[in-house]
Every structure is written in structure tokens, then in C-alpha cells.
Amino acid sequence: MPEAKALSEPQKALHKLGLTRDIDLALHLPMRYEDETRIVKLRDARDGDTVQIEATVTDSHVVYRPRRQLVATVDDGSDTCVLRFFSFYPSLQKVLARGATLRIRGEIRGGFAGWHMVHPTFRAAGGPLPDSLTPVYSSVAALPQAYLRKAVVSGLSRADLTETIPAEYLARLGEAWTLRDALQFLHHPPPDVPLATLEDHTHPAWQRLKAEELLAQQLSQLQSKREHERLRAPAFSLVQGGLHEQLLAVLPFQLTHAQRRVGGEIAADLGKPVPMHRLLQGDVGSGKTVVAALAAAIAIDAGWQCALMAPTEILAEQHFRKLIGWLEPLLAPRGLRVAWLTGSQRKKERSAMLELVASGEAALVVGTHAVIQEHVQFKQLALAIIDEQHRFGVEQRLALRSKPNSAIAANGPPPTPALPLKGEGECQPHLLMMSATPIPRTLAMSYYADLDVSTIDELPPGRTPVVTKLIADSRRDEVVDRIRAQLAQGRQVYWVCPLIEESEALDLTNATATHQQLTEALPGVVVGLLHSRMPVPEKKAVMSLFTGGQMGVLVSTTVIEVGVDVPNASLMVIEHAERFGLSQLHQLRGRVGRGAAASACILLYANGALGETARSRLKAMMETADGFEIARRDLEIRGPGEFLGSRQSGAPLLRFADLATDAHLLEWARRLAPVMLDRHPALAAQHTGRWLGGKSQYLKA
């Protein structure tokens, strides 16, 4: 067999960009265009324009002041222009020799004082002008534009672009372009096309591409949902007088109407022999943990196990403490326990916990990603709960859902309910994902179309509104005075910093320095420091002092963003708030206002450092405390890619469509997807294969 030919550097770069198939190249659309279709005379140029001229070099020399540079003067017969090159090789001097006639393109500056260009592109004059705009593609260093342009033209000519959407459905989009015509146009548009329609993606050719992309996404998610519905899972019914009822009876608070409603939706899912695939979303402090505990109680009542996985040890421990308090007294008479698994456990403690899990004595297992490691063997896992699901990678979530059940593999399932044995059909645990970042409707329709969504849309009574104030960093002394006032009333304070230690790139005060400053400014007050690089025992000790009330001020990085629940904390100071994302700011603000005391969140910002995006974020924080409105604005500011985090790692984020402006195309795709799968399954498969390749499996997470 002949040896595989080694890839050249540009070919490796193509693979790095994900451009491995002809269709990938065809769908790699330009990020902008250059107009090389006409020659402009210098006398007709305007300051700031990007122009193409043909001119003769009249002078060329190297100067050394104020810095070394190659300076060439060219004349096109109507005026002269000075070309400056600050980075150049001797070969460039030869090309720019006096008398050479060149076709030069660049941004022109000057006018009455004389024209000049800095680092223009150029080549020998003459030859025909192109009849279409020149595409400029996103690339990497090892992939020159000329090589990429040839590769795209080649891919476009070879790619299978047969229509996969029946004409009757395309007609509903209005002016329908064929896929081939749309791609050909967008790669090489004529010079008279309004550039604005290309840049803002409103041109009909762009509309066709966006409709195709949205349809591929909807088809993939609907297919995933249907495949999921063919899987089997244990079905549970509420037991009268069982663990669910007992837990409700001992809770020290009443459930809100919203908690009861979503609890009913989850219980209904658990009563079906199909794996639940539900997202439980609710604002910070809305009471998602107790809803998850009640769901676990239903599965435990039937003799099965549950697992709860959280992204950080602090959050996992917060859940563990609550669940131990609620469930352990009810489980103990049954000989069952709540187990704890994290990566930082000592070997002896970890081994004991693993035995509890494998034997089935651990009815509920709470932990970090340690829960999904290979040596963790469940006896009969029926419900997997993933908190802050967007913080886990797709593979991590899939790993928890596919955890082997040793009892099922060896002996078959417990007597109730019936579940297929391995080999007789695929079975999975029910999956409940939780998120304190509410998802805007268009995002739910698009990226979470394969999920059922339950929403807790009210806060428990007793939560006090948090007053948000925006204060310049120059007024830090006033903030410290406010901290003293809160401490004098017996309250506690968070101070959050974005960095652990000094960074040369960003002039930010670090957590360590802030801790030192506050310790000096607040004599007699215990000021703690918490950051992600501290050893776990040290973190636990700091958190224990703060939650116990012995520590007045906690200086922290964002490790306290989720899960920390200290009702006595009434003031949150966020330093360099302009550096944080909107959802992150909202999560941090949610750490206060958990008790009856009036609470405030102070957003400290660096004087003169606010860009437009940061200003928008801080304005939103001042104007609303509604998590859903915050999420909507966050989507507007960041777009879906960042908003979703690792939900879509490796999966198909929308490259062309914009959920803010293309809702009508999304509706069209949603309506068409089931029709395509039912009536045109071969075309549907061809369509998703073209757009997604092998990435659609990530949507199953």
C-alpha cells in the first residue's frame, strides 16, 4: 500500500480551520471584500478611501529617522503618492526600483499636503481587471489568501450542491436563489452590488444560506429528540406516604407555585418509560435545588440511585450540605445514604464512597466531575442531575448519562420497573439539567429544541430586592466606609476581583493586594481570601469561617459566582465590573439579598475605561434585576456562541444566521423540519450531512 502523502503547511492550516471537505470550502464565506475591479486616478481620490492605482516609481530609498523605513514615491500622471514600509526585505527594494510600473492598492491619506499610503499591496501593472469583488477570508498565518481563494474556487466547483429543499418550501421564503447561485454570488459578487447588503447579511443570497443553516440545525435537533424518544428508561410513580411526601413535610419552607408546577412536569416525565431530557431554568435563588431533591426522592422511592454533578467543589458542597440536611434523616431508616465524590478526597474516604455507590447503599451521589470517572460504578442509576450544565463540556455530560449500571449489566434491573437488559435495547437514566442563566426564547427554539424546558419564574418569599450602584474606582474610600457600616450592623460582605495576581497585560488590582488593603483598612475584622489556586482544605476552611459568621469580609475571585448561600451577607462589591460578562455579574449579585436585610451590589469601574460593550452591560445591571431580561440583553451583546458556553463544544454554532434578526427564518425551519423528516428523509439526511458533517452527536448532550 503506498505511503500517505505528507500534508503541506497550507493543507495542515486548511484542516485546522475545519476545511476538510469540498462543501466545507464552499461554505467558507468571505468576511469582507476588496474592490480590485477599477483603477482610480490620484486626483479623484478622497482622504481615507481604499483605492487601487497604477503608477510609476519615481524615487525609492531607505530612511532611518524617526525609524528605519523604505520610502517610495510614485506618479500616476495626475498626482504623486508616497508609499511607506516599516517592515521590509531587500527584495522589496528591488521590486520598488525607480522606473517600475505597479498596480498599487491601499488606504490613502493626505490630500493638499500630499498623498501617502502605509504598507499597501502591489504587483506589476497591466493585465485584465477582475470582473467581481475580491473575497477576503478568515484564515491563519500559514494560509495565504491567494492559496485559500484557489482552494475555495476548487471546492466550490467540485462540491455536490444539488438542492435538498423541495421547491414548494423554498417558495415560501420569497425570492428563492438556488444554493449554487447563492454561493457563487457570495464568493464573487459583482462590483455594483450594494456592499451594505453583503456586510449585514440582508442580501437574498445570504437569506438563502441562513435558511439552509437553520434548517440543518432544526433537522439535527429534531432527529436527536426522536432518537432519544426511542430509548428506554425506568418509569416511576409517586408513592403515597413515600419519600417525596415525607420530604415535602419536613422542608422548613413552603414551595412556590412555580416550584410546584415544574415539580409536576418533572414527575410526569419520570412516570414515562422514556428518558427525561429536561432543562430546569430559574433565576438566581429561585429554588432549583429543592425541585431536584424532590425528583431524586421519586427515583429513590423505587429503589434506584441518583447522581448530582456540579461544576465546582464549592457548589457541589453547597448542594451536599442542603441535601444531607433534607434527605439523610429520611434515608437513614432505609439503610441508605447521601454520598460525596470529588477529586480532592483522600484515597481512604474515596474508596469508602465508591463502595457505597457500587453497592447501591448510596441512594444519591453528589460531586464534581469525579462522579463520571471510569472507576465510579453505579448499581442502578436512574436519574442524572447536572447543575450549571453549560459549564461542563459536552463529552462530560454524555459520560454521566452513559454511566454503566453494574446491577443491570450483571443481573438485570430491580423488580420494578421493567427495563431492557444490556443487548436487548439501549437504556439510559433520566436527565435533568439545571441552569441559573435563563435562556431567551429564540435561543431555546434554536439551540435547545431537543430539550423540554421547565422554568421557575418566581422567587421564594423573603428575598429582598438588591440595590445596584455604579461607582468609579476613585471613590474606593467611600465603599470601605460603607463596608464598615454593614459590619457594625453584624452583616457580612463579599468583595470580588477578576484576577488572582498581577497581569502585565491588564492593569487590574488583584485579589491578594485587595485582601491586604482591606485587612489594613478594617482592623479587628477577619478578612478572608478565596481563589481557585488555593488547596481545597484551605478553601473549605475559609468558606466555613464565612458561612459560620466568624469572617466579616470575603475577598474572592469568581469561584463564589454560583452556589454560595450566606443569608447574612448584605453587600457585594465587584471590582473592575467592566471586565465581567453580564450573566456573571447577575450571578454574583445573586449572592446577596438572600436574607431579610436590605442588600446592595456595588459595581466598581475603572475611570475612563468603559468601552461601548462594557457600558451596555453595566447599564443593564442598573436597569433590571430580572434574570430573563438580563439573559435577553446578554444574548444581544455577546451573541449565542459565548452565551451558550460549552453546551455546543464542537457542535454546530450558527455561523451565518442571527437569532436577533432572523426569527422568521427560524420559524420557517422549525415548521419544515418535521415535514422533511417524515416525507423526505433522504433529503433531510443529505441536508444535515452537508451542513453538520459528524458534529450532530453533540446535540444529544
Side-chain angles (χ1 to χ4, degrees):
M1 187 172 174
E3 286 187 25
K5 190 177 177 183
L7 294 176
S8 65
E9 286 304 313
Q11 286 171 324
K12 287 178 186 173
L14 283 176
H15 282 237
K16 188 176 179 181
L17 286 172
L19 306 178
T20 56
R21 307 174 299 165
D22 289 331
I23 189 64
D24 297 330
L25 288 161
L27 294 175
H28 189 64
L29 294 181
M31 57 181 182
R32 59 184 176 85
Y33 302 91
E34 294 177 346
D35 186 357
E36 297 180 342
T37 63
R38 59 201 178 99
I39 303 293
V40 172
K41 284 291 185 184
L42 284 169
R43 64 168 171 252
D44 300 323
R46 290 183 302 180
D47 186 28
D49 280 358
T50 298
V51 297
Q52 182 171 247
I53 62 172
E54 280 199 352
T56 302
V57 179
T58 58
D59 183 50
S60 179
H61 60 282
V62 176
V63 298
Y64 294 90
R65 290 184 180 176
R67 56 182 284 195
R68 184 174 180 271
Q69 56 187 290
L70 174 61
V71 178
T73 304
V74 297
D75 188 334
D76 76 342
S78 71
D79 206 340
T80 61
C81 180
V82 174
L83 314 182
R84 294 185 185 277
F85 299 88
F86 297 105
S87 174
F88 59 92
Y89 293 100
S91 57
L92 189 64
Q93 291 175 259
K94 292 180 182 177
V95 176
L96 286 170
R98 190 177 300 177
T101 304
L102 304 170
R103 186 173 291 174
I104 304 157
R105 190 176 189 282
E107 184 181 352
I108 194 162
R109 290 290 185 183
F112 295 115
W115 295 114
H116 67 270
M117 291 185 191
V118 177
H119 278 276
T121 59
F122 60 88
R123 60 185 178 84
L129 291 167
D131 55 9
S132 63
L133 300 179
T134 302
V136 179
Y137 298 100
S138 63
S139 187
V140 290
L143 194 58
Q145 283 292 320
Y147 185 97
L148 186 49
R149 285 175 188 139
K150 286 180 182 175
V152 167
V153 167
S154 179
L156 188 57
S157 67
R158 292 193 306 261
D160 176 9
L161 298 175
T162 52
E163 294 294 338
T164 53
I165 307 173
E168 61 194 280
Y169 306 119
L170 276 176
R172 295 172 195 172
L173 288 174
E175 185 183 347
W177 286 50
T178 67
L179 178 60
R180 183 173 292 280
D181 287 349
L183 285 171
Q184 194 69 46
F185 178 89
L186 291 173
H187 282 294
H188 303 288
D192 58 349
V193 67
L195 268 179
T197 65
L198 296 180
E199 290 165 357
D200 65 12
H201 294 189
T202 56
H203 191 279
W206 266 118
Q207 296 296 303
R208 173 64 203 269
L209 265 290
K210 291 193 284 190
E212 286 250 343
E213 180 181 43
L214 285 165
L215 178 59
Q217 185 201 50
Q218 292 297 303
L219 283 169
S220 176
Q221 297 220 354
L222 183 57
Q223 182 73 28
S224 173
K225 191 177 178 85
R226 289 183 176 185
E227 286 174 10
H228 189 80
E229 287 166 355
R230 288 198 288 269
L231 300 174
R232 312 311 295 159
F236 309 122
S237 54
L238 283 168
V239 178
Q240 193 167 2
L243 190 59
H244 185 274
E245 274 187 25
Q246 292 170 28
L247 177 55
L248 278 174
V250 300
L251 287 174
F253 50 82
Q254 292 290 314
L255 296 187
T256 63
H257 172 74
Q259 285 173 314
R260 290 195 299 272
R261 171 174 45 77
V262 300
E265 292 167 356
I266 292 166
D269 279 356
L270 294 174
K272 299 171 185 173
V274 173
M276 172 172 66
H277 199 207
R278 186 170 288 275
L279 175 68
L280 172 61
Q281 62 172 352
D283 208 347
V284 178
S286 60
K288 295 180 293 296
T289 307
V290 71
V291 173
L294 288 163
I298 297 172
I300 294 168
D301 244 344
W304 291 76
Q305 290 173 293
C306 306
L308 190 154
M309 185 167 74
T312 67
E313 197 153 320
I314 287 177
L315 181 51
E317 189 167 0
Q318 184 85 22
H319 284 309
F320 183 63
R321 282 205 305 269
K322 283 185 180 177
L323 294 166
I324 280 269
W326 293 336
L327 285 171
E328 191 101 305
L330 304 176
L331 293 174
R334 301 173 179 225
L336 299 174
R337 291 185 55 186
V338 178
W340 169 245
L341 272 179
T342 69
S344 66
Q345 277 173 315
R346 294 182 183 277
K347 189 175 180 183
K348 188 176 178 181
E349 183 190 0
R350 186 175 180 75
S351 298
M353 289 294 169
L354 290 173
E355 284 180 25
L356 291 177
V357 176
S359 68
E361 189 180 334
L364 174 60
V365 184
V366 181
T368 57
H369 60 278
V371 170
I372 59 173
Q373 289 175 356
E374 277 183 30
H375 50 270
V376 181
Q377 293 289 324
F378 288 86
K379 186 178 181 185
Q380 52 226 23
L381 179 64
L383 173 62
I385 302 165
I386 302 177
D387 194 18
E388 291 301 312
Q389 54 84 29
H390 61 284
R391 291 177 166 235
F392 287 102
V394 173
E395 288 84 356
Q396 288 175 309
R397 294 201 302 277
L398 287 173
L400 180 56
R401 281 179 58 186
S402 57
K403 263 285 165 196
N405 290 306
S406 57
I408 294 174
N411 310 310
T416 58
L419 189 71
L421 300 179
K422 291 276 180 178
E424 289 185 7
E426 205 175 342
C427 66
Q428 286 193 339
H430 296 281
L431 178 63
L432 178 65
M433 296 187 279
M434 302 196 296
S435 176
T437 304
I439 296 159
R441 180 175 173 270
T442 51
L443 209 58
M445 285 165 55
S446 180
Y447 289 99
Y448 291 89
D450 57 328
L451 287 178
D452 298 306
V453 180
S454 289
T455 303
I456 303 178
D457 50 11
E458 65 178 305
L459 292 176
R463 290 297 300 264
T464 55
V466 179
V467 175
T468 303
K469 292 188 176 295
L470 188 60
I471 296 179
D473 189 62
S474 56
R475 296 167 58 195
R476 289 168 73 93
D477 289 347
E478 295 175 38
V479 176
V480 175
D481 287 341
R482 182 155 186 169
I483 290 174
R484 287 194 189 97
Q486 290 295 305
L487 294 170
Q489 296 174 37
R491 301 294 170 199
Q492 291 168 274
V493 177
Y494 295 103
W495 186 301
V496 179
C497 302
L499 287 183
I500 296 167
E501 55 195 22
E502 291 294 349
S503 162
E504 292 177 6
L506 299 172
D507 181 26
L508 302 183
T509 308
N510 59 64
T512 310
T514 300
H515 174 254
Q516 183 66 34
Q517 290 162 10
L518 290 175
T519 301
E520 292 169 4
L522 302 167
V525 176
V526 179
V527 180
L529 175 63
L530 187 70
H531 59 72
S532 58
R533 294 186 193 172
M534 288 166 61
V536 171
E538 213 174 306
K539 281 187 201 170
K540 285 183 179 175
V542 171
M543 281 310 303
S544 178
L545 287 172
F546 192 66
T547 53
Q550 298 98 317
M551 183 181 287
V553 181
L554 177 61
V555 178
S556 169
T557 56
T558 53
V559 290
I560 59 103
E561 182 185 333
V562 290
V564 178
D565 189 359
V566 181
N568 192 46
S570 58
L571 179 61
M572 164 68 70
V573 180
I574 305 175
E575 190 162 358
H576 284 289
E578 74 276 4
R579 301 285 182 184
F580 291 89
L582 186 49
S583 288
Q584 200 174 29
L585 288 171
H586 183 61
Q587 289 272 8
L588 288 166
R589 178 169 61 183
R591 297 307 105 208
V592 292
R594 292 175 165 253
S599 297
C601 176
I602 293 175
L603 305 175
L604 275 179
Y605 67 94
N607 288 19
L610 286 185
E612 195 56 42
T613 302
R615 199 180 300 278
S616 300
R617 284 197 296 262
L618 298 181
K619 184 169 181 275
M621 285 291 291
M622 295 287 290
E623 291 176 349
T624 182
D626 179 346
F628 288 88
E629 176 61 16
I630 289 280
R632 187 189 67 76
R633 296 201 194 185
D634 201 18
L635 177 62
E636 280 181 6
I637 293 168
R638 290 196 290 166
E642 261 190 275
F643 186 96
L644 287 162
S646 51
R647 151 80 176 163
Q648 300 288 333
S649 288
L653 278 174
L654 294 173
R655 289 181 287 164
F656 308 140
D658 181 344
L659 297 182
T661 57
D662 298 322
H664 65 294
L665 294 176
L666 177 56
E667 287 285 1
W668 170 85
R670 282 188 79 206
R671 288 195 299 270
L672 180 53
V675 176
M676 288 281 288
L677 284 177
D678 294 337
R679 298 184 195 170
H680 310 282
L683 288 177
Q686 186 182 350
H687 190 88
T688 52
R690 169 182 290 166
W691 278 89
L692 304 183
K695 294 176 182 175
S696 57
Q697 78 272 13
Y698 285 99
L699 295 168
K700 297 172 185 176

